[in-house]
Amino acid sequence: MIDGVLGGPVDQDYLLQARQMQAMSFAVHIPLVCFGIAFPAMVLFLEGLWLRTGDPLYRALAKRWSKAMLILFAVGVVTGTILSFEMGLLWPEFMATFGDVFGLAFMVEGFSFFMEAIFIAIYVYGWERLSARTHMLAGVPMVVAGITGSLMVISVNGWMNHPTGFSIRAGEVVDVKPLAALFNDNLWHELVHMYLAGFIVAGFLVAGVYAFGWLRGRRDRHHRIGLVVALSVAALAAPAQLLVGDWAARTVAERQPVKLAAFEGLEETTKGAPFSLPGGIEIPKLLSLLAFHDPNATVTGLDSVPEDDRPPTGIVKVSFRLMVFIGSGLAALGAWFVWLWWRRRRLPRSLWFYRALVAAGPAALVALIAGWVTTEVGRQPWVVYQVMRTESAVTGASGIPVGFGALGLVYLGLAAVAVVMLRRLSRPPLEVGP
Amino acid sequence: MLPDLTAGVALLALTAYVVLGGADFGAGFWDLTAGGAQRGAPVRAMIKRAMSPVWEANHVWLIFLLVVLWTGFPEAFGSITSTLAIPLFVAALGIVLRGGAFALKGEAATIAEARALGATFALASVIVPFFLGAAAGAIAAGEVPVGNAGGEEWTSWTHGTSLLVGALAVAAGAHLAAVFLGADSRRAGETELVHAFRARALGSGAVAGALALAGLVVVRSDVPELYDDLTSGAGLACVLASAAAGLVTLWLEWRERFELARYTAAAAVGAIVAGWAVAQEPYLLPPDLTVHEAAAPDATLVALLVATGLGMLILIPALTWLFRLALSGRLVYEDKPRP
């Protein structure tokens, strides 16, 4: 365990507010990341359909989606900038001590971000005056950069949970190996989990817009295509997410047993641990089975570490359950659609399906944020797992509550205006060219 | 060697941001001062058209700079962000307001909405360069010691040098924007706008030059060591180069040679940034922390430089293509389908 190169822990009365401010900034940015991951692929898919069939409706829809994509990207650019600033403004000791270990990931992310900004601009502003082929090709780097950018940020988060690529000697970070830190063992499951989450959140939210129209009687081809394309993406990703979630949970069980204990609120280390349901019902041995695929496995409890080293259990437990519960519901909803489409080639007729779809987008958002709360709060009290405590990382500057309040107000305003503008964008009838 | 190269990468990113990002903020300044809704409409339309496809890419230079700093010089990064938390946080909020308002104002439906978003965009465009400039001035003035919030939270950046650098950042951005927009207007064949921006370029150029000179006077009493380095050797060469490029820009604007003026204006501003770097060399955080002391281990610097080299191989062609398309007027969003 180390203190940091800037002089060690400082008196900071507002550590909790600093964490909440960071959490709020993530919660605002992460949904936009989902669109950064999924929207370019969805838009390009529509454009591909246009090039293949020549049906101008596909083009018109791709163009409209691309405009929403640009607005969401722009808002993501600025909310992502806040995160970059906050890394230093709130956690200077963390950055000063470990920036050289994990920074390489952000270098690669920086270039991805450049590519995304450049090609989204060329794509969205190039609809009219670039040849169809050039335009489609300009969309490819946009999709790739959306993936590599998030890959690299996830790498840093994976590293914080499973820090590798350095040693500690006499309280100092030595033997820095940036590549080992970049390709840490947590990268892969976190990446796939987040990547699928991106498609689930963006897919269900976009599908929800069309489902809402559907319920109000707008069932023309435009709405049908918009619904099916967005929904297909989410419906395929949601069931797959259950498997990836299992992979992620087993990795946590193995590498961060105390975090897993917090997921379940398991106080004592137990052999054949049960899974507790709300209302005090316990299913014997299920937790051991889920975490290790062995009903008699021993699951480490919170009591394995001193009280000071335990994460806040309540919020982690609730968030974890919320994520699993919503994720399962979304998987079922997705499976319903996939089954019907595969066997009968038609959309569900039940109005309840469309009502569920309208709710699915916001629910997916809640699950996304609950998932991040689970992993981030579950990592506490560590900023770098079992190496640096969050209280050692925080800034010595004053005024955290003022900054928190100001940013909160700005984000409220931004969110309100963005929602109004995006709704306005979706409203006028689609103008279809030749 | 490795620390110097890394510092070179940071300087490149900073210069690119000051020139390209600075011009976008400057455009916001002209948006702010364009006058009433009707009179200012053509100027604002030109700004929107010129900025829309490029501002996000230009903004990424700032992110890139932050990343190079925290990867290559982590201790300095943590010291800067904790001591200068106030100006940096205000700038960050301004960045959100500027970018958010600019991205969303295209969808405004009423004049009142457009005005509110436009005013937010324009005001934030002045706030951001001012506070970032003030933070840079604090570093140059030696107000940021190594440590977690080790410097003064207010007085580190509220002294004459900081405020002047802040004002200079606003003026330089406005000048760059006027020069760039004048050239863009010429390409678009908007004769009236050409003259409007030419007048603005000449005026803002004079103001920026005067501020730079006044800056030297303030620095002389505020931070004598910095003044000495700016008025001798390589520092002086940069100051003179900036002055020369600035004068050539004014002459080119006068003679209506707008395309060439883009490059001389960028050179004038870039030379100021280079002059600052040269003047405080070998220090990253004067008066104590040198570039070499602040640098990350070699393994990290090698990785950073290799990543930068490879990244530039794809970034430069991509950026070139973007600017070419934008300058040739091929990046315009039209809602109506082609007839």
Side-chain angles (χ1 to χ4, degrees):
Chain A
M1 197 172 109
I2 61 171
D3 284 340
V5 296
L6 293 182
V10 288
D11 282 331
Q12 178 54 265
D13 297 335
Y14 299 107
L15 173 64
L16 185 64
Q17 283 79 357
R19 281 177 48 206
Q20 287 169 342
M21 183 172 172
Q22 187 74 62
M24 175 185 79
S25 312
F26 273 123
V28 170
H29 184 65
I30 284 280
L32 297 158
V33 174
C34 293
F35 281 95
I37 288 172
F39 229 164
M42 285 156 62
V43 171
L44 211 60
F45 178 73
L46 275 176
E47 188 180 15
L49 284 179
W50 169 57
L51 287 177
R52 241 183 62 183
T53 62
D55 182 341
L57 186 61
Y58 289 122
R59 182 183 187 275
L61 195 56
K63 195 175 165 188
R64 172 168 293 182
W65 280 13
S66 76
K67 199 168 183 197
M69 172 177 79
L70 183 73
I71 290 179
L72 290 167
F73 179 72
V75 179
V77 166
V78 295
T79 54
T81 302
I82 283 286
L83 289 178
S84 304
F85 273 83
E86 280 176 346
M87 303 270 282
L89 291 173
L90 295 174
W91 319 106
E93 273 285 15
F94 166 58
M95 300 306 288
T97 312
F98 291 105
D100 48 6
V101 182
F102 62 73
L104 177 63
F106 281 110
M107 291 291 297
V108 182
E109 196 269 340
F111 281 107
S112 301
F113 189 14
F114 262 126
M115 287 298 131
E116 212 175 347
I118 291 169
F119 285 97
I120 278 194
I122 293 176
Y123 188 85
V124 176
Y125 291 103
W127 275 109
E128 304 305 330
R129 300 188 190 176
L130 296 180
S131 75
R133 199 168 146 264
T134 311
H135 187 256
M136 178 93 193
L137 283 176
V140 175
M142 168 178 87
V143 176
V144 176
I147 299 169
T148 53
S150 47
L151 179 128
M152 287 298 130
V153 178
I154 292 290
S155 155
V156 177
N157 187 269
W159 176 87
M160 289 163 73
N161 282 289
H162 186 65
T164 46
F166 67 96
S167 324
I168 293 176
R169 218 169 295 143
E172 291 207 16
V173 175
V174 291
D175 291 338
V176 173
K177 298 189 186 74
L179 278 175
L182 180 68
F183 294 106
N184 59 79
D185 297 342
N186 268 13
L187 167 61
W188 305 110
H189 78 260
E190 279 199 33
L191 173 71
V192 180
H193 203 39
M194 177 62 202
Y195 198 57
L196 288 180
F199 278 102
I200 293 170
V201 169
F204 275 125
L205 275 173
V206 175
V209 172
Y210 291 97
F212 186 73
W214 197 272
L215 288 171
R216 292 204 163 179
R218 290 195 288 271
R219 301 184 184 180
D220 50 16
R221 236 183 111 238
H222 155 211
H223 280 79
R224 193 182 154 86
I225 292 169
L227 184 80
V228 170
V229 170
L231 181 56
S232 305
V233 165
L236 290 171
Q241 188 72 303
L242 294 185
L243 300 175
V244 179
D246 170 63
W247 174 24
R250 278 186 296 126
T251 315
V252 171
E254 196 182 302
R255 300 220 183 89
Q256 296 177 290
V258 180
K259 190 195 254 189
L260 186 93
F263 288 4
E264 276 306 317
L266 186 71
E267 290 290 339
E268 290 163 19
T269 301
T270 316
K271 188 170 183 294
F275 187 89
S276 57
L277 292 172
I281 309 161
E282 283 195 348
I283 304 174
K285 304 200 176 190
L286 184 60
L287 180 58
S288 288
L289 187 68
L290 286 174
F292 293 98
H293 287 193
D294 169 6
N296 293 313
T298 303
V299 182
T300 308
L302 290 162
D303 64 352
S304 63
V305 291
E307 216 157 303
D308 268 1
D309 290 355
R310 296 178 197 166
T313 332
I315 182 172
V316 175
K317 189 174 164 182
V318 170
S319 306
F320 179 69
R321 269 140 209 265
L322 199 58
M323 172 187 73
V324 171
F325 176 72
I326 295 176
S328 307
L330 294 176
L333 189 65
W336 180 1
F337 166 74
V338 171
W339 175 258
L340 215 67
W341 190 259
W342 179 42
R343 304 304 294 190
R344 312 239 174 94
R345 287 271 141 200
R346 67 167 175 82
L347 287 166
R349 296 203 179 102
S350 163
L351 283 183
W352 282 107
F353 177 80
Y354 298 92
R355 287 178 192 134
L357 257 190
V358 172
L365 266 183
V366 171
L368 171 82
I369 288 165
W372 277 101
V373 168
T374 304
T375 188
E376 294 297 275
V377 180
R379 196 191 58 239
Q380 301 301 327
W382 307 99
V383 62
V384 182
Y385 195 60
Q386 290 178 340
V387 177
M388 184 186 248
R389 299 178 84 91
T390 311
E391 68 200 48
S392 303
V394 74
T395 181
S398 62
I400 289 174
V402 178
F404 186 16
L407 186 65
L409 285 177
V410 168
Y411 274 176
L412 267 180
L414 184 65
V417 179
V419 167
V420 168
M421 295 304 178
L422 285 169
R423 278 195 62 191
R424 194 173 286 159
L425 183 66
S426 73
R427 222 173 280 156
L430 210 55
E431 285 195 46
V432 181
Chain B
M1 184 64 183
L2 289 172
D4 297 317
L5 283 174
T6 309
V9 172
L11 186 63
L12 175 88
L14 176 65
T15 310
Y17 183 62
V18 169
V19 171
L20 298 167
D24 290 338
F25 290 119
F29 179 83
W30 299 123
D31 190 294
L32 185 65
T33 52
Q38 212 147 45
R39 204 163 61 86
V43 165
R44 293 198 175 96
M46 191 68 217
I47 288 169
K48 182 173 177 229
R49 192 177 146 178
M51 241 181 95
S52 292
V54 295
W55 75 270
E56 283 149 328
N58 292 341
H59 172 77
V60 181
W61 285 110
L62 174 65
I63 305 297
F64 187 68
L65 172 65
L66 294 179
V67 172
V68 171
L69 283 179
W70 81 48
T71 309
F73 307 101
E75 233 178 301
F77 178 78
S79 304
I80 294 169
T81 50
S82 53
T83 287
L84 299 175
I86 295 169
L88 291 177
F89 182 69
V90 173
L93 275 189
I95 286 170
V96 173
L97 291 171
R98 192 278 298 236
F102 185 73
L104 294 168
K105 77 186 181 128
E107 306 302 318
T110 65
I111 289 180
E113 278 180 16
R115 266 194 196 144
L117 286 171
T120 307
F121 157 69
L123 247 150
S125 295
V126 178
I127 288 171
V128 177
F130 178 80
F131 282 90
L132 288 179
I139 295 170
E143 296 280 357
V144 181
V146 173
N148 185 350
E152 294 294 328
E153 61 179 351
W154 289 98
T155 52
S156 60
W157 60 277
T158 51
H159 52 83
T161 304
S162 265
L163 301 182
L164 225 127
V165 175
L168 183 59
V170 174
H175 176 59
L176 284 166
V179 172
F180 292 179
L181 286 165
D184 292 341
S185 306
R186 166 62 56 88
R187 278 175 184 247
E190 305 263 3
T191 316
E192 265 178 51
L193 282 178
V194 172
H195 290 289
F197 284 119
R198 176 171 170 265
R200 285 166 169 82
L202 289 169
S204 60
V207 170
L211 275 173
L213 284 178
L216 278 178
V217 177
V218 173
V219 168
R220 187 178 177 182
S221 64
D222 234 21
V223 204
E225 314 82 51
L226 185 65
Y227 177 80
D228 291 343
D229 286 328
L230 277 171
T231 50
S232 65
L236 181 65
C238 288
V239 170
L240 292 177
S242 175
L247 288 173
V248 171
T249 307
L250 294 181
W251 180 74
L252 288 170
E253 284 289 320
W254 187 255
R255 302 289 308 268
E256 308 200 359
R257 312 256 313 258
F258 300 112
E259 283 299 323
L260 260 180
R262 281 184 203 269
Y263 300 98
T264 56
V269 174
I272 298 181
V273 179
W276 169 35
V278 167
Q280 70 166 56
E281 203 264 341
Y283 295 103
L284 185 59
L285 296 183
D288 290 321
L289 188 72
T290 64
V291 168
H292 284 252
E293 288 163 351
D298 283 356
T300 302
L301 298 186
V302 169
L304 184 155
L305 290 167
V306 170
T308 303
L310 294 176
M312 287 295 168
L313 286 182
I314 51 166
L315 174 61
I316 291 171
L319 261 186
T320 311
W321 194 38
L322 173 69
F323 284 136
R324 273 206 184 160
L325 289 176
L327 287 178
S328 63
R330 273 180 288 173
L331 295 183
V332 189
Y333 191 92
E334 285 150 31
D335 266 323
K336 304 280 174 229
R338 266 179 300 200

